[in-house]
């Protein structure tokens, strides 16, 4: 059942981030991340490695920060929904999505573990679709033609998903 609850928590955070950014409730994503993240950790048993899960989420969030800084400073994307308009970093909502996604790796997305081709293909297909939703909600815009942008996002996510699972296996081995 934890996989089911994990998916519900993830999509609640994801939609909260999108809708919060769209309707200028910029604190909604971070607020949901903290409150639903608390529920995520309450669902874990003490022997399931809560400390490792915290490390994974931290490293996954940091990795997401690096990726989104690349998107921002390469000029690939523009973001809306900043808490602070003059921020040099990507908006909090997109970072909350990365953190929430990292929390799915051992639960609702655990079926991908060890399946490198599936990770690559899933990242290449579904990563860009998530950004397409951002475009449809007017919280992200591309600076290049759509095909080039989707190709870059596809490549980034085809690499990112396996890296996140590698981070996961490294954290849980120690």
């Amino acid at each position: 059942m934890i996989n089911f609850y994990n998916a519900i928590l993830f999509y609640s955070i994801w939609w909260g981030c999108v809708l919060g950014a769209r309707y200028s409730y910029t604190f909604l994503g971070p607020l949901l991340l903290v409150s639903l993240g608390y529920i995520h950790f309450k669902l874990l048993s003490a022997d399931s490695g809560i400390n490792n899960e915290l490390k994974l989420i931290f490293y996954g969030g940091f990795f997401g920060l690096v990726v989104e800084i690349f998107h921002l400073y390469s000029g690939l994307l523009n973001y809306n929904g900043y808490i602070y308009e003059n921020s040099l970093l990507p908006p909090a909502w997109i970072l909350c999505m990365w953190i929430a996604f990292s929390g799915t790796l051992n639960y609702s997305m655990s079926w991908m573990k060890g399946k490198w081709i599936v990770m690559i293909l899933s990242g290449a297909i579904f990563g860009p679709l998530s950004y397409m939703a951002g475009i449809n909600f007017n919280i992200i815009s591309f600076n290049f033609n759509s095909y080039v942008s989707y190709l870059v996002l596809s490549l980034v996510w085809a690499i990112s998903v396996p890296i996140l699972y590698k981070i996961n296996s490294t954290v849980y081995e120690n």
Side-chain angles (χ1 to χ4, degrees), residues 45-174:
S45 63
D47 60 336
S48 67
I50 290 175
N51 288 337
N52 286 336
E53 187 72 4
L54 279 170
K55 285 181 202 174
L56 170 64
I57 288 171
F58 173 79
Y59 292 137
F62 182 77
F63 179 74
L65 174 64
V66 171
V67 170
E68 297 304 328
I69 285 173
F70 165 75
H71 292 158
L72 181 64
Y73 286 100
S74 69
L76 180 68
L77 300 175
N78 286 326
Y79 301 95
N80 294 323
Y82 282 92
I83 293 172
Y84 302 108
E85 282 304 317
N86 295 325
S87 176
L88 298 175
L89 299 174
W93 63 264
I94 192 83
L95 302 176
C96 289
M97 287 181 169
W98 278 90
I99 292 167
F101 182 69
S102 297
T104 67
L105 299 179
N106 291 306
Y107 302 98
S108 56
M109 300 297 283
S110 65
W111 58 271
M112 269 200 276
K113 283 183 184 178
K115 299 174 183 165
W116 298 100
I117 299 297
V118 172
M119 288 179 211
I120 291 167
L121 291 174
S122 293
I125 295 167
F126 297 109
L129 287 177
S130 190
Y131 289 82
M132 186 187 315
I135 288 170
N136 290 335
F137 279 95
N138 200 31
I139 58 174
I140 293 176
S141 60
F142 291 150
N143 289 321
F144 299 102
N145 110 13
S146 294
Y147 296 111
V148 170
S149 299
Y150 286 126
L151 178 62
V152 171
L153 287 170
S154 188
L155 291 171
V156 167
W157 274 90
I159 295 166
S160 295
V161 172
I163 288 173
L164 287 170
Y165 276 97
K166 181 62 179 161
I167 291 169
N168 180 47
S169 66
T170 301
V171 165
Y172 274 86
E173 283 176 2
N174 296 330

